[in-house]
Amino acid sequence: MALDILIVDDEQDIRDLVAGVLSDDGYETRTAATADEALQAYDERRPSLMLLDVWLRGSSMDGLELLKLIKERDPAMPVIVFSGHGNLDTAVAAISHGAVDFIEKPFEAEKLLHLVSRGTETERLRAENATLRAMVGHANELGGNSPSINAVRATLKKVANTGSRVMITGPAGVGKEVAARLLHSWSQRADAPFVSVSSARLAPDRFEEELFGIEENGQLLHAGMLERAHGGTLFLDEVGDMPWTTQGKILRVLTDQSFARVGGNRPVRVDVRIVSATGSNLVAEIEAGRFREDLYYRLNVVPVGIPPLADRREDIPVLALHYAALFANEHRISPPDFSDEALASMQSCEWPGNVRQLRNIIERTIILAPTDRLKCIEVDMLPSEVRGGGGETGGSVNAFMGAPLREAREAFEREYLNMQVKRFSGNISKTASFVGMERSALHRKLKLLGIAVRKMGDEDE
């Protein structure tokens, strides 16, 4: 989506010419002939950049005075000053008041486009840097080749350019924000801002100020996240924690893409795609009267459910190797490998914290492992919560020492087969092949040992 450029000049021919040049290059433009019109346009919606004439004949203030006022209200606002009667002193004054650049009229279209691109670059780079910092090490949380995660990626790619609203569901730690960022990066809005709002982290009394912004006496004091996301994507994380009064106001945004700032009445129009996420059961929240049913159906146009890590265990080796390489690079060591036993132990773990927990486990293991053993991560180097595989016995030989041989053997078989079945996501054919048993014999053994199989992966062959 296009960046929003505000052109302020007292000559209509200049306004039309500049607007035409910028529009042809893909920018969204608005124009103003006076300082008052410029301030009104700014208060209606914060632009991405302002092009400002020095003189502004017939206006309540000249361009430099307006520049100073704008910078007092919004120091981060990029402004380019231009003039047909400029000199070195004018240029110096403009830069000293906070302009990012100065250009003399008449100017070449290529030079103007270059300055506009450079003027918005700082803001774009700041947003891009924030996005990259949020994505570092997390992009591959949707990595792997399991059918479930392949289906998630396919859905995100298919819906990316439609503009439809998406609701991403799944337990904590599965990568819901990562999915939202991927959706944004694959869409036509990729060059515009991605703004994330955590409903769970914002205090209820400040939620609307942060989301909608603040206005006083018709003047913009603080641009909210909705306004800053203009042209891009607004991600509402843990939307189920949004205050009830705010839920009603979000409905208006979804209906006509406008809202009113806190302390103001004027409608602020934006072009924003809203993507939401939740780890809660919103249907239960609706029944309990804590979430609006009409909002739920407006947000949940395309549902995307991200499965817990325990339901896509075949992806664990891929994720483990990715994070091992990531943290090894941070510590300037060669990426370690994993022994088959270590991978099997990780695949049989329940992972209640999902991919986030796996990431933390790999980081902890690399930090605490002896330097001379970092070529290959062995099972004894993993934390006890992983080595136990989530089983009742914890995989320890000591658990069998107080039992007769027959009972100990049966307990070991139960623990071993239970871990292997989990490792292969309930796929009996793959489990039988690995443990060296016939499929029918494994079925009988599991039934004899009382092991219930919960199917999570591919269907048995």
Side-chain angles (χ1 to χ4, degrees), residues 41-55:
Y42 172 84
D43 290 331
E44 286 174 356
R45 187 180 66 242
R46 180 186 186 274
S48 304
L49 177 138
M50 182 181 292
L51 283 168
L52 178 60
D53 182 39
V54 167
W55 299 113

Side-chain angles (χ1 to χ4, degrees), residues 395-411:
S396 172
V397 174
N398 292 331
F400 308 126
M401 292 304 291
L405 176 60
R406 181 176 177 180
E407 292 181 14
R409 183 171 59 221
E410 181 178 310

Side-chain angles (χ1 to χ4, degrees), residues 141-142 149 152 168-171 174-177 179 304-308 312:
E141 289 183 11
L142 291 182
I149 208 64
V152 169
I168 304 169
T169 59
V174 294
K176 296 189 288 293
E177 182 169 343
V304 176
I306 302 181
R312 55 181 186 110

Side-chain angles (χ1 to χ4, degrees), residues 308-330:
L309 188 57
D311 285 359
R312 55 181 186 110
R313 297 174 189 270
E314 57 265 58
D315 292 334
I316 290 175
V318 175
L319 293 168
L321 288 169
H322 164 71
Y323 287 127
L326 175 70
F327 295 122
N329 181 62
E330 287 184 2

Side-chain angles (χ1 to χ4, degrees), residues 313-378:
R313 297 174 189 270
E314 57 265 58
D315 292 334
I316 290 175
V318 175
L319 293 168
L321 288 169
H322 164 71
Y323 287 127
L326 175 70
F327 295 122
N329 181 62
E330 287 184 2
H331 294 282
R332 299 182 180 181
I333 60 175
S334 299
D337 204 347
F338 290 84
S339 69
D340 291 342
E341 293 77 12
L343 290 176
S345 183
M346 287 191 289
Q347 284 183 292
S348 61
C349 184
E350 287 303 311
W351 299 109
N354 294 294
V355 180
R356 187 182 299 145
Q357 182 188 6
L358 173 64
R359 173 190 170 94
N360 293 342
I361 290 292
I362 300 300
E363 182 177 15
R364 185 196 319 171
T365 300
I366 289 177
I367 291 174
L368 298 180
T371 305
D372 59 349
R373 297 190 63 191
L374 269 176
K375 284 190 175 181
C376 182
I377 304 296
E378 301 287 348

Side-chain angles (χ1 to χ4, degrees), residues 166-177 179-180 197-200 235-242 247 275-286 290-291 295-296 299-300 302-307 354 356:
V166 176
M167 179 176 285
I168 304 169
T169 59
V174 294
K176 296 189 288 293
E177 182 169 343
V197 182
S198 176
S199 303
F235 176 58
L236 296 175
D237 195 13
E238 294 303 333
V239 69
D241 293 325
M242 183 184 296
Q247 293 177 31
V275 177
S276 57
T278 182
S280 306
N281 183 346
L282 289 187
V283 174
E285 293 294 300
I286 291 169
R290 291 188 291 267
F291 198 80
L295 178 58
Y296 172 75
L299 291 174
N300 194 31
V302 180
V304 176
I306 302 181
N354 294 294
R356 187 182 299 145

Side-chain angles (χ1 to χ4, degrees), residues 8 34-36 38-39 50 52 56 61-71:
V8 187
T34 65
D36 291 339
L39 289 172
M50 182 181 292
L52 178 60
L56 294 182
M61 62 182 82
D62 64 28
L64 293 181
E65 291 172 326
L66 178 58
L67 170 64
K68 186 176 179 181
L69 178 60
I70 288 291
K71 283 295 181 176

